Amino acid sequence: MIKAFVREFPTVHLVIGVIGNLVFFVGSVLFIWQATELLAIWLFIAGSFGMLLGAIGQALYLRERHRLNGAPGRQQDRLH
């Protein structure tokens, strides 16, 4: 089931990573003001986790794609 999700939904991993980046950025900006520091910390953590999930999903997708199709640039063995 997880392999099918990884294989069929590569865009989901990209979206998770982009949302993670956005949350990470907002959290970083909120560190400017002391009043929003606690929120900034939690957004920083949540954004980092989203970025991590996106990267792991993308890595699993690429691994599965290489397993099924071979690595890019690698020539397939030809029968002569």
Side-chain angles (χ1 to χ4, degrees):
M1 181 171 150
I2 290 177
K3 282 187 179 183
F5 179 78
V6 166
R7 190 173 48 246
E8 299 297 327
F9 299 102
T11 305
V12 172
H13 311 299
L14 178 63
V15 170
I16 290 170
V18 169
I19 290 171
N21 279 302
L22 181 63
V23 171
F24 188 84
F25 176 74
V26 171
S28 298
V29 170
L30 291 177
F31 273 112
I32 294 171
W33 303 282
Q34 192 172 6
T36 58
E37 191 172 298
L38 183 59
L39 177 60
I41 290 169
W42 285 108
L43 289 177
F44 203 80
I45 292 168
S48 299
F49 185 67
M51 290 166 45
L52 177 65
L53 286 179
I56 289 171
Q58 184 68 19
L60 291 173
Y61 168 73
L62 290 174
R63 180 174 166 244
E64 183 67 7
R65 192 174 86 189
H66 291 173
R67 186 184 70 79
L68 295 173
N69 302 330
R74 196 176 101 199
Q75 292 183 357
Q76 299 293 326
D77 292 331
R78 295 182 183 161
L79 297 175
H80 293 287

